[in-house]
Amino acid sequence: PVLQDARPMKSSTRAMLTALWKREFHLKAARLDHGEPEHFVRCQWQSRVRVHLVYLTYRWFLALLFVATMIFSICDTGRSPKSTGLRYISKWPIYLTNWGYTVCTLQAVLGAYLLTQRLIMERKPGFTANASQMSLSYKVYWALNTTGVVMAIGISVAYWLTVYDPALHSLDALNLMVHAFNSVLMVTDLFLVAHPFRLLHCYWPFLVTVCYVVFSFIYYESGGTDRHDRPFVYPLLDWRLPKRTAASSVFGLVFVLTVHCAAWVLFLLRKWITLTVRKKPYADKGGLAAPELQPALGVDDTIC
């Protein structure tokens, strides 16, 4: 079929901004609902509608990488002998880094599972692309993915600016994986996935951060210590100084919202690059595009 309107780039940009306003700044956008759940099992850059084996391989590689790194992190592999003690390992859940890495791992595993499930469904006789629904598992993945992107970026920035101390922390492969490559992997994934990153979904990483602040206070009141036997988990969350810690907590929550907005801008950049790179060839040919390519090109939902 012929596309009805092959507008110049300026008109396309204007339409994109209009769609952005209607979709992102509406209360419905705060819900985990999407009219085309197949976007959650497709790469932004693939030309086919169905599951691509290269993308499936990537998703399982990412999931296994996160799982392996998480296991090494729990066991503190490669560190000093005292790291192997049960008491030392039991401190693993108290760190925000590990909360964030757990979220990243869960979303990676669930994403790979959903893609595999979709591939199995596609190979069944009578399968149609629009037969799938926005199931609970898709919604959970969406929430985890959004939270994982924001937490990964936020944790990387906060760790290197406020936490890292060469006298206490080893600059080894494990440290880089959980405090640097975590955000590299999630930002890369943000540019590869086809599903949207909603601005109004900021409450997911915000709530996780609020839960962690509350946890840090309860942990302090219970007499908890970090792995170096200090009465706090992070210097900025030292509840012996309640006013400073309260101020740090408020700043941290604002920082989370700021990171979420930055990630949303990266999502818009991804969509803009897709529209620019992939629609232009078809506009040059008079707007002709095969039906199976239209969803991948963003014909049906400019801003997703």
Side-chain angles (χ1 to χ4, degrees):
V2 178
L3 296 181
Q4 296 299 320
D5 195 3
R7 297 183 179 89
M9 190 60 64
K10 288 185 179 180
S11 299
S12 179
T13 302
R14 189 181 304 113
M16 179 177 176
L17 291 175
T18 301
L20 168 67
W21 177 264
K22 291 181 178 179
R23 292 175 183 267
E24 292 296 331
F25 299 97
H26 193 287
L27 289 179
K28 289 183 178 179
R31 301 201 300 250
L32 293 170
D33 289 328
H34 196 277
E36 299 177 272
E38 62 269 15
H39 285 190
F40 292 82
V41 289
R42 195 172 68 220
C43 176
Q44 180 71 75
W45 308 99
Q46 70 182 65
S47 58
R48 55 182 292 181
V49 175
R50 297 199 171 194
V51 172
H52 200 294
L53 291 180
V54 173
Y55 185 55
L56 177 64
T57 302
Y58 156 76
R59 291 236 63 95
W60 275 112
F61 170 78
L62 186 67
L64 293 174
L65 180 61
F66 270 115
V67 169
T69 303
M70 186 173 173
I71 293 173
F72 289 145
S73 176
I74 294 173
C75 299
D76 221 22
T77 303
R79 302 285 174 79
S80 60
K82 68 177 182 178
S83 300
T84 59
L86 181 60
R87 177 181 175 276
Y88 196 78
I89 295 176
S90 67
K91 300 284 186 178
W92 189 87
I94 71 174
Y95 292 95
L96 182 61
T97 292
N98 299 330
W99 283 38
Y101 212 85
T102 299
V103 172
C104 291
T105 302
L106 290 174
Q107 67 84 30
V109 172
L110 182 56
Y113 166 77
L114 291 176
L115 205 64
T116 304
Q117 182 186 56
R118 172 72 177 213
L119 179 63
I120 295 173
M121 291 173 58
E122 289 178 351
R123 294 188 174 183
K124 291 181 179 180
F127 173 81
T128 58
N130 296 323
S132 59
Q133 301 294 326
M134 191 66 180
S135 64
L136 178 61
S137 57
Y138 280 74
K139 295 180 180 181
V140 171
Y141 165 72
W142 198 2
L144 288 173
N145 180 263
T146 298
T147 305
V149 170
V150 176
M151 292 191 71
I153 298 173
I155 287 170
S156 293
V157 173
Y159 177 80
W160 296 107
L161 291 180
T162 66
V163 177
Y164 177 69
D165 182 354
L168 296 175
H169 307 112
S170 302
L171 190 60
D172 53 19
L174 182 57
N175 195 357
L176 291 174
M177 280 299 298
V178 299
H179 291 119
F181 286 103
N182 59 329
S183 54
V184 171
L185 292 172
M186 292 307 296
V187 170
T188 301
D189 195 59
L190 178 62
F191 274 89
L192 291 177
V193 298
H195 63 78
F197 185 96
R198 295 286 188 228
L199 184 63
L200 293 185
H201 284 176
C202 60
Y203 61 90
W204 289 108
F206 186 86
L207 286 175
V208 172
T209 307
V210 169
C211 289
Y212 184 79
V213 171
V214 174
F215 162 77
S216 70
F217 176 74
I218 296 174
Y219 187 72
Y220 165 75
E221 289 292 331
S222 302
T225 60
D226 71 348
R227 283 178 165 178
H228 304 285
D229 294 321
R230 298 177 298 182
F232 54 83
V233 181
Y234 295 107
L236 291 179
L237 289 177
D238 186 352
W239 289 100
R240 295 175 300 177
L241 304 170
K243 291 183 178 179
R244 192 193 73 172
T245 301
S248 298
S249 300
V250 172
F251 177 81
L253 293 173
V254 173
F255 177 65
V256 168
L257 296 178
T258 303
V259 172
H260 187 91
C261 291
W264 179 67
V265 171
L266 292 178
F267 157 69
L268 295 182
L269 176 62
R270 183 192 88 200
K271 295 300 294 183
W272 179 82
I273 294 174
T274 304
L275 291 170
T276 302
V277 173
R278 306 193 69 174
K279 284 184 101 172
K280 190 175 185 300
Y282 300 101
D284 292 341
K285 295 178 180 180
L288 295 176
E292 66 271 14
L293 292 182
Q294 292 183 13
L297 295 173
V299 173
D300 295 327
D301 69 322
T302 304
I303 202 64
C304 203

